[in-house]
Structures are given as structure tokens and as C-alpha cells.
Amino acid sequence: MKAQRSEPDRRRFLGVHLDPLTIDETVARCVKAVEERSPITIGVLNAAKIVRLRKDPRLSRAVLGCDLVLADGQSVVWASALLRRPLPERVAGIDLMLTLLPEAERRGHRVFFLGARQEVLDRTVAEVRRRFPGLVVAGTRHGYFSTAEAPGVADEIRAAEADLLFIGVSSPMKELFVQDWSARTGAQVVHGVGGTFDVLAGEVRRAPEWWQRRGLEWLYRCIQEPMRLGPRYFTTNFAFVVLVAREVALEVTRKRTPGRARSSRSARSSSASGGGRP
């Protein structure tokens, strides 16, 4: 069993922990994991998922049990700065995958794509091959499988001798697959990338960079699918703002309390020594 990872520099707030890494530092960790045959799993957190973890202990264990936990949402980066546990930048799952692929192409690392409907997966792989013609695609499999079929899926990935595994299925299925079966796959880097395959396949348009920089990617998605995503995003974003506000209030209280305590002790000491009212 892999030893429990302990990172003293992790940022802890809102009941979660995140690794303060840039995308370049994360890619370097992944390259090292493949070349040293030292497997790592990657979890990502955005505002919605932080809210969800508080109600879903199983998902919380799966995400926070990953070797690297990264800020997938800009709002999480802003919250970290507000709470004085700053993260250097957002490391979005899609950006990490698209930065890892050219490294894998250059180094001959083998990549497996798991997820989405078969036709979407086929278009994703075609687009990946177009962008990175020298990439070694070890294998692919659609993401529609049952819990009972998961061990067989892991064995299929192991048989393909994949170095990197990208999982394009929705939460919590991808996180639970990473938790339960990543070791069995034999992949050295296992990364759940959610809807990335849909973007590469042209099923969904990603927000332009202007929207991304301002933390409005969620709003851009809402505009595309208002009935499906609107209620979910507005509810979780409001809940996230409330969580951050409460944490800020607690921080303020913690800072004020020691001062009041010292003042109270000083007053009691003065009274006991005769320094009070005659």
C-alpha cells in the first residue's frame, strides 16, 4: 500500500486542502511520476464541488484522498487569497490535460482516454491526434459502465500499459473510480477531467479566456444550458459565498479573541494586586 502523503505546505480552508502548485509545477510532478514509476492521482476542486463535499462524505474521501488536490475554479483561488492561504493560480482540469499531452508526445508516454459516449470519445481522440500526431494512444473506452464492470475496465487499462489515464466522466463516478481502481489500472498518472472530452469533441464550447480570467466560466456554461445548469450553479455559488463569508468571520473572531482574553487577564491581575478601585 502506498504510504500516506503528508504535505506541510498544503492550503487548508473551508474544510478542504489544496496543493499550492502552478500548472507547470503540476506537469513536472506528473512527468516525474511517470518516469520514476511512482503513481499519483489528481483531484480537482471548484466552488460547486467544495459545497457538495460537505454533504457527501464518500465523495469527500475520494477527492481529498488524491495525491494532488488542485484548484479547478477561479473562485477557489480568490477565496484562498481572501482567507490568507493563497494558491498561486487556477489549474483547470482541461488545461492540465492539454499541457500534459504534448509532454507525453515528446517523451513517448502512453495515454488512455476513458469516458463519454463512444461517438464523442471518437471525436475527442481524433482531435487529440490532430493536435498531437506523435502521441501514443494506448487505448480508449467509453464511460458507460456499471460498478460491477469497473474492475474489468481497470484491467483493460492495465493491459494497454497506459502511463497516463484521463477520465472524462461526471462526478462522483470519476472520483470513485480513481479512489477504488487507480492502482489496478497500472497508470502512473490518473486524472479525472470531467467534461473535457465534450469540449474537445465540439459538443460544448468552452468559455473564452476573458470569461475564464474573471471567474465567469460557470456563467458562460449557464448561458449555453440555462435550464440544466442555471439552478445548480446559482445555488452552489451562493452556498460557496456563504461558506467563505463565515470563514472570514471566524478568522476575524479568532484574531480578536486573544486580545480580549489578554485584556481580561490583565484587569483581573491588576484588581488582585490592589491596582483597582480603592
Side-chain angles (χ1 to χ4, degrees), residues 34-88:
V34 174
E35 299 197 337
E36 294 185 356
R37 314 309 291 173
S38 176
I40 61 172
T41 54
I42 299 172
V44 296
L45 288 172
N46 56 23
K49 195 175 291 184
I50 287 177
V51 171
R52 188 172 180 180
L53 294 192
R54 302 174 78 86
K55 298 180 180 179
D56 190 337
R58 190 171 64 144
L59 179 60
S60 180
R61 287 191 298 270
V63 175
L64 300 180
C66 287
D67 297 294
L68 297 180
V69 183
L70 307 169
D72 183 62
Q74 186 61 43
S75 58
V76 177
V77 176
W78 289 337
S80 74
L82 189 62
L83 296 168
R84 301 181 186 279
R85 282 96 162 172
L87 298 165

Short mmCIF file of all heavy atoms in Angstrom, two decimals, residues 34-88:
data_model
loop_
_atom_site.label_atom_id
_atom_site.label_comp_id
_atom_site.label_asym_id
_atom_site.label_seq_id
_atom_site.Cartn_x
_atom_site.Cartn_y
_atom_site.Cartn_z
N VAL A 34 5.64 9.50 -13.89
CA VAL A 34 5.74 8.51 -14.97
C VAL A 34 7.16 7.97 -15.08
O VAL A 34 7.37 6.75 -15.15
CB VAL A 34 5.28 9.12 -16.31
CG1 VAL A 34 5.53 8.12 -17.45
CG2 VAL A 34 3.81 9.51 -16.27
N GLU A 35 8.12 8.86 -15.07
CA GLU A 35 9.49 8.43 -15.33
C GLU A 35 10.10 7.69 -14.15
O GLU A 35 10.98 6.84 -14.33
CB GLU A 35 10.33 9.64 -15.73
CG GLU A 35 9.78 10.28 -17.00
CD GLU A 35 10.75 11.20 -17.69
OE1 GLU A 35 11.67 11.71 -17.02
OE2 GLU A 35 10.58 11.41 -18.91
N GLU A 36 9.61 7.95 -12.93
CA GLU A 36 10.12 7.24 -11.76
C GLU A 36 9.21 6.08 -11.36
O GLU A 36 9.47 5.41 -10.37
CB GLU A 36 10.28 8.21 -10.59
CG GLU A 36 11.35 9.28 -10.82
CD GLU A 36 11.58 10.16 -9.60
OE1 GLU A 36 10.85 9.99 -8.60
OE2 GLU A 36 12.48 11.00 -9.67
N ARG A 37 8.13 5.88 -12.15
CA ARG A 37 7.16 4.82 -11.86
C ARG A 37 6.64 4.94 -10.44
O ARG A 37 6.60 3.98 -9.66
CB ARG A 37 7.75 3.43 -12.11
CG ARG A 37 8.50 3.27 -13.42
CD ARG A 37 7.71 3.75 -14.62
NE ARG A 37 6.57 2.91 -14.93
CZ ARG A 37 5.66 3.21 -15.85
NH1 ARG A 37 5.74 4.36 -16.53
NH2 ARG A 37 4.65 2.39 -16.08
N SER A 38 6.24 6.15 -10.10
CA SER A 38 5.72 6.46 -8.77
C SER A 38 4.33 7.07 -8.93
O SER A 38 4.20 8.28 -9.07
CB SER A 38 6.65 7.44 -8.05
OG SER A 38 6.14 7.81 -6.80
N PRO A 39 3.29 6.25 -8.96
CA PRO A 39 1.96 6.71 -9.37
C PRO A 39 1.37 7.80 -8.47
O PRO A 39 1.56 7.80 -7.25
CB PRO A 39 1.11 5.44 -9.32
CG PRO A 39 1.86 4.46 -8.50
CD PRO A 39 3.30 4.81 -8.63
N ILE A 40 0.65 8.73 -9.12
CA ILE A 40 -0.08 9.76 -8.40
C ILE A 40 -1.49 9.87 -8.97
O ILE A 40 -1.73 9.59 -10.14
CB ILE A 40 0.61 11.14 -8.46
CG1 ILE A 40 0.71 11.64 -9.90
CG2 ILE A 40 1.95 11.11 -7.78
CD1 ILE A 40 1.21 13.07 -10.00
N THR A 41 -2.41 10.27 -8.10
CA THR A 41 -3.78 10.56 -8.51
C THR A 41 -4.03 12.05 -8.32
O THR A 41 -3.46 12.68 -7.42
CB THR A 41 -4.79 9.75 -7.69
OG1 THR A 41 -4.55 9.98 -6.29
CG2 THR A 41 -4.66 8.26 -7.97
N ILE A 42 -4.88 12.60 -9.17
CA ILE A 42 -5.14 14.04 -9.15
C ILE A 42 -6.63 14.28 -8.94
O ILE A 42 -7.47 13.74 -9.67
CB ILE A 42 -4.69 14.69 -10.46
CG1 ILE A 42 -3.18 14.50 -10.67
CG2 ILE A 42 -5.04 16.17 -10.49
CD1 ILE A 42 -2.68 14.96 -12.02
N GLY A 43 -6.93 15.12 -7.94
CA GLY A 43 -8.30 15.56 -7.71
C GLY A 43 -8.39 17.06 -7.91
O GLY A 43 -7.39 17.77 -7.73
N VAL A 44 -9.55 17.54 -8.31
CA VAL A 44 -9.72 18.98 -8.53
C VAL A 44 -10.96 19.47 -7.78
O VAL A 44 -11.93 18.74 -7.59
CB VAL A 44 -9.84 19.32 -10.04
CG1 VAL A 44 -8.55 18.96 -10.76
CG2 VAL A 44 -11.02 18.60 -10.68
N LEU A 45 -10.89 20.74 -7.37
CA LEU A 45 -11.99 21.33 -6.62
C LEU A 45 -12.37 22.67 -7.23
O LEU A 45 -11.52 23.51 -7.51
CB LEU A 45 -11.59 21.55 -5.16
CG LEU A 45 -11.47 20.31 -4.28
CD1 LEU A 45 -10.88 20.67 -2.91
CD2 LEU A 45 -12.83 19.64 -4.11
N ASN A 46 -13.67 22.86 -7.41
CA ASN A 46 -14.22 24.18 -7.72
C ASN A 46 -15.24 24.52 -6.65
O ASN A 46 -15.44 23.76 -5.69
CB ASN A 46 -14.83 24.20 -9.13
CG ASN A 46 -15.89 23.12 -9.32
OD1 ASN A 46 -16.49 22.64 -8.36
ND2 ASN A 46 -16.12 22.74 -10.55
N ALA A 47 -15.89 25.65 -6.79
CA ALA A 47 -16.84 26.10 -5.76
C ALA A 47 -17.95 25.08 -5.55
O ALA A 47 -18.29 24.73 -4.41
CB ALA A 47 -17.42 27.46 -6.15
N ALA A 48 -18.52 24.60 -6.64
CA ALA A 48 -19.64 23.67 -6.54
C ALA A 48 -19.23 22.39 -5.83
O ALA A 48 -19.98 21.85 -5.00
CB ALA A 48 -20.18 23.36 -7.93
N LYS A 49 -18.04 21.88 -6.13
CA LYS A 49 -17.62 20.62 -5.53
C LYS A 49 -17.30 20.79 -4.05
O LYS A 49 -17.58 19.89 -3.24
CB LYS A 49 -16.43 20.03 -6.27
CG LYS A 49 -16.18 18.56 -5.93
CD LYS A 49 -15.07 17.97 -6.78
CE LYS A 49 -15.49 17.82 -8.21
NZ LYS A 49 -14.44 17.15 -9.03
N ILE A 50 -16.73 21.93 -3.67
CA ILE A 50 -16.48 22.17 -2.24
C ILE A 50 -17.78 22.15 -1.46
O ILE A 50 -17.87 21.58 -0.36
CB ILE A 50 -15.73 23.50 -2.04
CG1 ILE A 50 -14.27 23.35 -2.49
CG2 ILE A 50 -15.78 23.95 -0.58
CD1 ILE A 50 -13.45 24.61 -2.42
N VAL A 51 -18.82 22.74 -2.03
CA VAL A 51 -20.14 22.72 -1.38
C VAL A 51 -20.65 21.29 -1.30
O VAL A 51 -21.16 20.85 -0.27
CB VAL A 51 -21.13 23.61 -2.15
CG1 VAL A 51 -22.55 23.43 -1.63
CG2 VAL A 51 -20.71 25.08 -2.04
N ARG A 52 -20.49 20.56 -2.38
CA ARG A 52 -21.01 19.20 -2.43
C ARG A 52 -20.30 18.27 -1.46
O ARG A 52 -20.91 17.37 -0.87
CB ARG A 52 -20.88 18.66 -3.86
CG ARG A 52 -21.56 17.32 -4.07
CD ARG A 52 -21.56 16.93 -5.53
NE ARG A 52 -22.21 15.64 -5.72
CZ ARG A 52 -22.34 15.05 -6.90
NH1 ARG A 52 -21.88 15.66 -8.00
NH2 ARG A 52 -22.93 13.88 -7.00
N LEU A 53 -19.00 18.46 -1.27
CA LEU A 53 -18.24 17.59 -0.37
C LEU A 53 -18.79 17.61 1.05
O LEU A 53 -18.69 16.62 1.77
CB LEU A 53 -16.76 18.01 -0.34
CG LEU A 53 -15.91 17.86 -1.59
CD1 LEU A 53 -14.44 18.04 -1.26
CD2 LEU A 53 -16.12 16.52 -2.26
N ARG A 54 -19.34 18.73 1.44
CA ARG A 54 -19.84 18.86 2.81
C ARG A 54 -21.05 17.99 3.06
O ARG A 54 -21.38 17.70 4.22
CB ARG A 54 -20.17 20.33 3.10
CG ARG A 54 -18.96 21.26 2.91
CD ARG A 54 -19.34 22.71 3.05
NE ARG A 54 -19.49 23.10 4.44
CZ ARG A 54 -18.49 23.51 5.22
NH1 ARG A 54 -17.26 23.56 4.75
NH2 ARG A 54 -18.72 23.86 6.46
N LYS A 55 -21.71 17.55 2.00
CA LYS A 55 -22.90 16.71 2.14
C LYS A 55 -22.67 15.28 1.67
O LYS A 55 -23.57 14.45 1.77
CB LYS A 55 -24.06 17.32 1.34
CG LYS A 55 -24.49 18.70 1.82
CD LYS A 55 -25.64 19.23 0.99
CE LYS A 55 -26.08 20.61 1.47
NZ LYS A 55 -27.20 21.16 0.65
N ASP A 56 -21.50 15.03 1.13
CA ASP A 56 -21.22 13.71 0.56
C ASP A 56 -19.87 13.20 1.07
O ASP A 56 -18.84 13.41 0.44
CB ASP A 56 -21.22 13.80 -0.97
CG ASP A 56 -21.18 12.44 -1.65
OD1 ASP A 56 -20.73 11.47 -1.01
OD2 ASP A 56 -21.57 12.35 -2.83
N PRO A 57 -19.86 12.53 2.23
CA PRO A 57 -18.60 12.06 2.81
C PRO A 57 -17.82 11.12 1.89
O PRO A 57 -16.59 11.14 1.87
CB PRO A 57 -19.04 11.33 4.08
CG PRO A 57 -20.39 11.90 4.40
CD PRO A 57 -21.01 12.22 3.09
N ARG A 58 -18.52 10.31 1.13
CA ARG A 58 -17.83 9.37 0.24
C ARG A 58 -17.07 10.13 -0.85
O ARG A 58 -15.92 9.82 -1.14
CB ARG A 58 -18.85 8.42 -0.39
CG ARG A 58 -18.22 7.26 -1.14
CD ARG A 58 -19.23 6.23 -1.55
NE ARG A 58 -20.20 6.76 -2.49
CZ ARG A 58 -20.73 6.06 -3.50
NH1 ARG A 58 -20.37 4.81 -3.68
NH2 ARG A 58 -21.61 6.60 -4.30
N LEU A 59 -17.70 11.13 -1.44
CA LEU A 59 -17.03 11.95 -2.44
C LEU A 59 -15.88 12.73 -1.82
O LEU A 59 -14.81 12.87 -2.42
CB LEU A 59 -18.03 12.92 -3.09
CG LEU A 59 -17.48 13.87 -4.15
CD1 LEU A 59 -16.88 13.11 -5.32
CD2 LEU A 59 -18.57 14.83 -4.63
N SER A 60 -16.09 13.23 -0.61
CA SER A 60 -15.04 13.97 0.08
C SER A 60 -13.80 13.12 0.28
O SER A 60 -12.68 13.55 0.01
CB SER A 60 -15.56 14.47 1.44
OG SER A 60 -14.57 15.18 2.12
N ARG A 61 -14.00 11.88 0.73
CA ARG A 61 -12.85 10.98 0.92
C ARG A 61 -12.14 10.70 -0.40
O ARG A 61 -10.91 10.64 -0.46
CB ARG A 61 -13.32 9.66 1.55
CG ARG A 61 -13.69 9.77 3.02
CD ARG A 61 -13.87 8.39 3.64
NE ARG A 61 -14.96 7.64 3.01
CZ ARG A 61 -16.22 7.69 3.40
NH1 ARG A 61 -16.56 8.46 4.43
NH2 ARG A 61 -17.15 6.97 2.80
N ALA A 62 -12.91 10.55 -1.46
CA ALA A 62 -12.32 10.24 -2.75
C ALA A 62 -11.48 11.40 -3.29
O ALA A 62 -10.37 11.21 -3.77
CB ALA A 62 -13.42 9.88 -3.76
N VAL A 63 -12.01 12.63 -3.20
CA VAL A 63 -11.29 13.78 -3.73
C VAL A 63 -10.08 14.12 -2.86
O VAL A 63 -8.95 14.26 -3.35
CB VAL A 63 -12.22 15.01 -3.84
CG1 VAL A 63 -11.42 16.24 -4.28
CG2 VAL A 63 -13.35 14.74 -4.81
N LEU A 64 -10.31 14.24 -1.56
CA LEU A 64 -9.24 14.68 -0.67
C LEU A 64 -8.21 13.58 -0.42
O LEU A 64 -7.14 13.85 0.13
CB LEU A 64 -9.83 15.17 0.65
CG LEU A 64 -10.81 16.35 0.51
CD1 LEU A 64 -11.34 16.77 1.88
CD2 LEU A 64 -10.17 17.52 -0.20
N GLY A 65 -8.52 12.37 -0.84
CA GLY A 65 -7.56 11.29 -0.73
C GLY A 65 -6.58 11.22 -1.89
O GLY A 65 -5.67 10.39 -1.88
N CYS A 66 -6.76 12.10 -2.88
CA CYS A 66 -5.84 12.11 -4.02
C CYS A 66 -4.47 12.64 -3.62
O CYS A 66 -4.34 13.40 -2.66
CB CYS A 66 -6.42 12.96 -5.15
SG CYS A 66 -7.82 12.20 -6.01
N ASP A 67 -3.47 12.27 -4.37
CA ASP A 67 -2.11 12.70 -4.07
C ASP A 67 -1.93 14.19 -4.31
O ASP A 67 -1.18 14.86 -3.59
CB ASP A 67 -1.11 11.91 -4.91
CG ASP A 67 -1.15 10.43 -4.60
OD1 ASP A 67 -0.78 10.06 -3.47
OD2 ASP A 67 -1.58 9.64 -5.45
N LEU A 68 -2.58 14.71 -5.33
CA LEU A 68 -2.59 16.15 -5.60
C LEU A 68 -4.04 16.61 -5.66
O LEU A 68 -4.86 15.98 -6.33
CB LEU A 68 -1.90 16.48 -6.92
CG LEU A 68 -0.41 16.18 -7.06
CD1 LEU A 68 0.08 16.59 -8.45
CD2 LEU A 68 0.40 16.88 -5.98
N VAL A 69 -4.33 17.70 -4.96
CA VAL A 69 -5.66 18.30 -4.99
C VAL A 69 -5.49 19.74 -5.47
O VAL A 69 -4.79 20.53 -4.83
CB VAL A 69 -6.35 18.26 -3.61
CG1 VAL A 69 -7.76 18.83 -3.71
CG2 VAL A 69 -6.38 16.84 -3.06
N LEU A 70 -6.11 20.06 -6.60
CA LEU A 70 -5.84 21.33 -7.28
C LEU A 70 -7.10 22.18 -7.40
O LEU A 70 -8.22 21.66 -7.40
CB LEU A 70 -5.28 21.04 -8.68
CG LEU A 70 -4.08 20.10 -8.72
CD1 LEU A 70 -3.79 19.68 -10.15
CD2 LEU A 70 -2.86 20.76 -8.09
N ALA A 71 -6.88 23.49 -7.51
CA ALA A 71 -7.98 24.44 -7.65
C ALA A 71 -8.41 24.50 -9.10
O ALA A 71 -7.74 25.10 -9.93
CB ALA A 71 -7.56 25.82 -7.16
N ASP A 72 -9.55 23.91 -9.40
CA ASP A 72 -10.08 23.90 -10.76
C ASP A 72 -10.91 25.15 -11.05
O ASP A 72 -11.18 25.45 -12.21
CB ASP A 72 -10.94 22.65 -10.96
CG ASP A 72 -11.47 22.51 -12.37
OD1 ASP A 72 -10.65 22.40 -13.30
OD2 ASP A 72 -12.70 22.53 -12.56
N GLY A 73 -11.30 25.88 -10.00
CA GLY A 73 -12.14 27.06 -10.18
C GLY A 73 -11.44 28.34 -9.74
O GLY A 73 -10.73 28.35 -8.72
N GLN A 74 -11.65 29.42 -10.49
CA GLN A 74 -11.03 30.69 -10.13
C GLN A 74 -11.55 31.21 -8.80
O GLN A 74 -10.82 31.84 -8.04
CB GLN A 74 -11.29 31.72 -11.24
CG GLN A 74 -10.57 33.04 -11.03
CD GLN A 74 -9.06 32.89 -11.00
OE1 GLN A 74 -8.49 32.17 -11.80
NE2 GLN A 74 -8.41 33.56 -10.06
N SER A 75 -12.81 30.92 -8.50
CA SER A 75 -13.38 31.39 -7.23
C SER A 75 -12.66 30.76 -6.03
O SER A 75 -12.55 31.38 -4.97
CB SER A 75 -14.88 31.07 -7.16
OG SER A 75 -15.10 29.68 -7.32
N VAL A 76 -12.15 29.55 -6.20
CA VAL A 76 -11.40 28.89 -5.12
C VAL A 76 -10.07 29.61 -4.91
O VAL A 76 -9.63 29.80 -3.77
CB VAL A 76 -11.17 27.40 -5.46
CG1 VAL A 76 -10.33 26.73 -4.38
CG2 VAL A 76 -12.49 26.68 -5.62
N VAL A 77 -9.43 30.04 -6.00
CA VAL A 77 -8.18 30.80 -5.88
C VAL A 77 -8.44 32.13 -5.17
O VAL A 77 -7.68 32.53 -4.28
CB VAL A 77 -7.56 31.04 -7.27
CG1 VAL A 77 -6.32 31.91 -7.17
CG2 VAL A 77 -7.23 29.71 -7.94
N TRP A 78 -9.52 32.81 -5.54
CA TRP A 78 -9.84 34.08 -4.88
C TRP A 78 -10.14 33.87 -3.40
O TRP A 78 -9.70 34.65 -2.56
CB TRP A 78 -11.04 34.72 -5.57
CG TRP A 78 -10.75 35.25 -6.93
CD1 TRP A 78 -9.52 35.62 -7.42
CD2 TRP A 78 -11.69 35.50 -7.99
NE1 TRP A 78 -9.63 36.06 -8.71
CE2 TRP A 78 -10.94 36.01 -9.09
CE3 TRP A 78 -13.05 35.33 -8.11
CZ2 TRP A 78 -11.55 36.35 -10.30
CZ3 TRP A 78 -13.67 35.68 -9.31
CH2 TRP A 78 -12.92 36.18 -10.38
N ALA A 79 -10.87 32.81 -3.08
CA ALA A 79 -11.19 32.52 -1.68
C ALA A 79 -9.93 32.24 -0.88
O ALA A 79 -9.79 32.67 0.27
CB ALA A 79 -12.15 31.34 -1.58
N SER A 80 -8.98 31.53 -1.49
CA SER A 80 -7.73 31.22 -0.79
C SER A 80 -6.97 32.50 -0.44
O SER A 80 -6.38 32.59 0.64
CB SER A 80 -6.85 30.30 -1.65
OG SER A 80 -6.26 31.00 -2.74
N ALA A 81 -6.98 33.47 -1.33
CA ALA A 81 -6.30 34.74 -1.05
C ALA A 81 -7.03 35.51 0.03
O ALA A 81 -6.40 36.08 0.94
CB ALA A 81 -6.22 35.57 -2.33
N LEU A 82 -8.34 35.52 -0.03
CA LEU A 82 -9.15 36.22 0.96
C LEU A 82 -8.95 35.65 2.36
O LEU A 82 -8.92 36.38 3.35
CB LEU A 82 -10.63 36.15 0.56
CG LEU A 82 -11.63 37.00 1.35
CD1 LEU A 82 -11.32 38.49 1.21
CD2 LEU A 82 -13.04 36.71 0.88
N LEU A 83 -8.75 34.33 2.41
CA LEU A 83 -8.59 33.64 3.69
C LEU A 83 -7.11 33.49 4.09
O LEU A 83 -6.79 32.75 5.00
CB LEU A 83 -9.26 32.27 3.63
CG LEU A 83 -10.78 32.32 3.43
CD1 LEU A 83 -11.34 30.95 3.09
CD2 LEU A 83 -11.47 32.88 4.68
N ARG A 84 -6.24 34.19 3.37
CA ARG A 84 -4.81 34.21 3.66
C ARG A 84 -4.15 32.83 3.60
O ARG A 84 -3.24 32.52 4.35
CB ARG A 84 -4.56 34.87 5.03
CG ARG A 84 -5.07 36.30 5.10
CD ARG A 84 -4.79 36.92 6.45
NE ARG A 84 -5.39 38.24 6.58
CZ ARG A 84 -4.86 39.37 6.09
NH1 ARG A 84 -3.72 39.33 5.45
NH2 ARG A 84 -5.49 40.52 6.25
N ARG A 85 -4.64 31.99 2.68
CA ARG A 85 -3.97 30.73 2.35
C ARG A 85 -3.80 30.69 0.83
O ARG A 85 -4.38 29.84 0.16
CB ARG A 85 -4.79 29.51 2.78
CG ARG A 85 -4.71 29.19 4.26
CD ARG A 85 -5.83 29.78 5.00
NE ARG A 85 -6.04 29.19 6.31
CZ ARG A 85 -6.90 29.69 7.18
NH1 ARG A 85 -7.60 30.79 6.88
NH2 ARG A 85 -7.06 29.12 8.35
N PRO A 86 -3.06 31.62 0.27
CA PRO A 86 -3.08 31.84 -1.17
C PRO A 86 -2.59 30.67 -2.00
O PRO A 86 -1.60 30.01 -1.67
CB PRO A 86 -2.17 33.06 -1.35
CG PRO A 86 -1.28 33.03 -0.15
CD PRO A 86 -2.11 32.51 0.97
N LEU A 87 -3.31 30.44 -3.10
CA LEU A 87 -2.90 29.49 -4.12
C LEU A 87 -2.35 30.29 -5.30
O LEU A 87 -2.86 31.37 -5.61
CB LEU A 87 -4.10 28.65 -4.57
CG LEU A 87 -4.74 27.79 -3.48
CD1 LEU A 87 -6.11 27.30 -3.94
CD2 LEU A 87 -3.84 26.61 -3.14
N PRO A 88 -1.31 29.79 -5.96
CA PRO A 88 -0.66 30.61 -7.00
C PRO A 88 -1.51 30.86 -8.22
O PRO A 88 -1.45 31.93 -8.82
CB PRO A 88 0.59 29.80 -7.36
CG PRO A 88 0.26 28.40 -6.96
CD PRO A 88 -0.62 28.52 -5.75
#
